Each structure stands twice: as structure tokens, then as C-alpha cells.
Amino acid sequence: MCEPAASKSNGITQSNGTYAATNKSNNNPKPTLISPTIRRMLPLITSGYIFNTICYFAVKALLPNNLVGSPKYCPENNPNCSRSDLFAFQVVSFINLSAMGLVGFYTFYISKRATNAVPQTPQGRYLAHLLGKGVLLPEADYVNSFIVIFQGWDFVASLFFEEHCTPIMMTHHALAFICGFFCLAYEVNPYYAVYFGGVSEFSSIFLAVSQLFQYFPPSTLVATSSSLASVLPVIETFCQAMFTITFFIFRIVGWAQKLYILISDGSYIIKNGLLKRYCPGSGWFLWYLMSMGVLLGALQVYWLEGIANKILEVLND
């Protein structure tokens, strides 16, 4: 939680930027991680971890024991193994990614509250909830809570999945979790949280479905005589195409645009000492967000190269 820093005179800065006299010491209050936002969102976060765990085991229990995926994801000595665990993992991922992506997309492009509800100034986009006008963009708190839920749960769950327990993905989960948690703890970054944590995940909705078909080709899910045998490949192709398009739009072009504005806003906030006034002790986090924006943006360019290579392989075949 951030509180306004005390002024050097015998007064304190109110949340609306005005000064009030006081006889108390003018030591700067230090922020606490248990902010009102954390307290307000804690039931949702706790419920999210419980829901993901129950959903995973429920889906896994309901799937047939003979659910066989691609031989690539089975041990060499057991090509007919059941990977119901991997299927259930993808279902949980799809639900979580859909929550983040849809809330972010709706808030940014349909209701447009991301731009209309907060002042479009450096302090508005980053410090809107600390300017004394209350929570202007509650959608950001939901996106950040979904990030904490999914990235935290996914990090632990991935430890048990060779397919997901890679250095790049585990690092990504950890970095994203830190972003979501400290946005809630310091009550900052509402505008950018909706885009980077919400809109950018819209492409991941299609990725989750595409990955499911990668693990379980349509031919392994339904009999060739089933009417779904011709439908599932179409869904797979559609999701692959939509993932490629939305990834480029939101995670490459849009990411670069929003990152430029974030760095510009952050530089203005640091130069003018606004963090010392509105959220003392949180300066490291703004530097973290700007740095992670650059690093994750570079990672997504690296992923784009892999996507392009996959497309070329399909076209050549």
C-alpha cells in the first residue's frame, strides 16, 4: 500500500495533492504489501487457486483412461500412454487465459474504459488509483488478480510437466507474477496492467486451443466416422491463424507502442519525483516494469521468429 509522503514542512500531502498541517513527525510512511486492494481481491485470488486445482483434478478424472495423445508426448517405452493430465492442464490454462484476455480486450477496445476512466497523463496512467479519486479502473485489479492466480498456479503445476517446465516459461511465470502482485500491493499501473496483462493474453486463448490439438491431434480425439472428425481440424486451423494474427497485433505492434508510452511516462514520473509524493518506496517497481517490458518484448520477438518458421514449414509442405 502506498501513502503520500510527508512534506519537508510541518505538514503532510493529502491524497488530492493539498497540504494539511500536522504536529506529527514528517518521516515518510513506508508502503506495506497488504494494501486495501490486496485485501479486497484476496477472496478472488484464494478462490482462483482452489478453482484451478479442483478443475484440473475434475477434468482429469472425467477423461477416459485410454486418452492417448501424440506419441511425441509419451515415454518411448509406452507409446500408448494416457496423457489426461496434459489435457486437464490445457483446460485450466484456457479458462485462465480467457479470463485475462477477454477482460483486457473488452476494457481496452469495447468499453474503452482503459482510456476513458483514467486521465491520459503520465500520472493518470500509472498513479490513477492514488490521486485521491478512488479506484478508477477496477478492471485492472481483476486483471492483476487473474495474473497472480494463473501465473502462480501455473508455475507450481509446471514443475510436474516436462512440456511446460522450461527455463524460459518458468522465468516468464515468475516475472509476470511479480508484476501482477506488486501492481496490487502498490496500487499502481492500472492502464498498462490492462494492456500488458490483459489484451496481450487475448492471443493466448487461441494458443491454448492450438496447443491442445498439438498434444492431441483431432484423429486421436474422435473416430474418423464421427461428424466432429471434419470439424476439429477446421477449429485447429482457425485457432492457429487467429493466434498468429493476434500475436503480431497485440504482442508485437501493440506491445511496442504501449511500451514506448510506459517508458516515456515512467521517465516523467521519476524526473518529477511523483513516486516520492504518491507512493514512496515503490521506485524499484517502476524500473522493474519498464525493464521487464523491454525483456518480455524481446522474448516475444524471439517467439515470433519461431512462429514464422512454423508457418514456412506448413507452406512448404
Side-chain angles (χ1 to χ4, degrees):
M1 173 185 178
C2 291
E3 298 178 7
S7 71
K8 294 182 180 179
S9 61
N10 292 327
I12 61 172
T13 305
Q14 302 291 345
S15 58
N16 60 5
T18 62
Y19 287 93
T22 177
N23 293 322
K24 295 182 180 180
S25 168
N26 56 359
N27 291 331
N28 289 352
K30 294 182 180 180
T32 172
L33 296 183
I34 309 301
S35 66
T37 303
I38 289 285
R39 295 190 189 98
R40 188 174 71 252
M41 306 308 294
L42 188 58
L44 173 63
I45 294 172
T46 304
S47 300
Y49 284 127
I50 295 173
F51 171 82
N52 284 350
T53 304
I54 293 177
C55 180
Y56 169 79
F57 285 107
V59 172
K60 187 174 183 297
L62 292 172
L63 290 172
N65 293 328
N66 60 346
L67 182 64
V68 179
S70 170
K72 180 180 178 180
Y73 302 101
C74 281
E76 294 182 2
N77 59 349
N78 186 12
N80 295 321
C81 71
S82 174
R83 290 307 309 269
S84 57
D85 58 337
L86 195 55
F87 194 105
F89 183 94
Q90 285 302 118
V91 171
V92 175
S93 297
F94 173 79
I95 294 172
N96 284 253
L97 293 169
S98 296
M100 289 186 285
L102 292 175
V103 171
F105 185 87
Y106 179 84
T107 305
F108 229 93
Y109 296 107
I110 299 179
S111 71
K112 297 184 179 180
R113 280 181 42 78
T115 53
N116 296 333
V118 299
Q120 290 303 295
T121 61
Q123 53 267 55
R125 286 185 285 264
Y126 189 76
L127 298 167
H129 293 175
L130 299 174
L131 299 180
K133 298 181 181 180
V135 179
L136 301 181
L137 193 63
E139 294 91 336
D141 293 338
Y142 283 100
V143 169
N144 284 318
S145 296
F146 293 150
I147 292 172
V148 171
I149 292 168
F150 177 61
Q151 301 296 349
W153 188 91
D154 203 7
F155 183 92
V156 175
S158 294
L159 296 174
F160 303 94
F161 290 87
E162 181 182 354
E163 296 81 7
H164 295 281
C165 191
T166 64
I168 290 180
M169 291 308 301
M170 298 300 281
T171 301
H172 176 270
H173 294 325
L175 296 178
F177 178 91
I178 292 172
C179 288
F181 177 81
F182 281 99
C183 280
L184 294 174
Y186 290 138
E187 300 175 308
V188 295
N189 200 43
Y191 175 84
Y192 296 106
V194 171
Y195 188 88
F196 292 125
V199 174
S200 67
E201 293 294 2
F202 187 77
S203 64
S204 299
I205 299 173
F206 303 103
L207 175 62
V209 178
S210 299
Q211 284 182 327
L212 180 65
F213 286 122
Q214 178 183 347
Y215 301 143
F216 300 91
S219 60
T220 67
L221 295 175
V222 296
T224 54
S225 59
S226 172
S227 59
L228 292 176
S230 60
V231 175
L232 293 184
V234 175
I235 296 175
E236 179 183 18
T237 302
F238 172 79
C239 287
Q240 289 173 341
M242 287 300 297
F243 167 66
T244 303
I245 294 170
T246 54
F247 185 93
F248 182 77
I249 293 174
F250 297 136
R251 285 185 175 264
I252 301 298
V253 178
W255 189 283
Q257 292 174 340
K258 295 300 182 291
L259 179 60
Y260 175 82
I261 301 174
L262 172 61
I263 293 176
S264 177
D265 286 354
S267 300
Y268 176 89
I269 291 169
I270 293 169
K271 180 180 179 181
N272 289 275
L274 296 181
L275 291 177
K276 294 180 180 179
R277 180 178 180 182
Y278 290 107
C279 197
S282 68
W284 72 270
F285 184 57
L286 177 54
W287 283 106
Y288 175 87
L289 287 175
M290 293 189 292
S291 301
M292 289 306 102
V294 174
L295 291 176
L296 292 177
L299 176 61
Q300 287 165 166
V301 172
Y302 169 77
W303 284 339
L304 180 64
E305 181 183 1
I307 294 171
N309 290 335
K310 287 287 185 181
I311 294 175
L312 292 177
E313 288 179 9
V314 172
L315 294 177
N316 291 333
D317 291 341

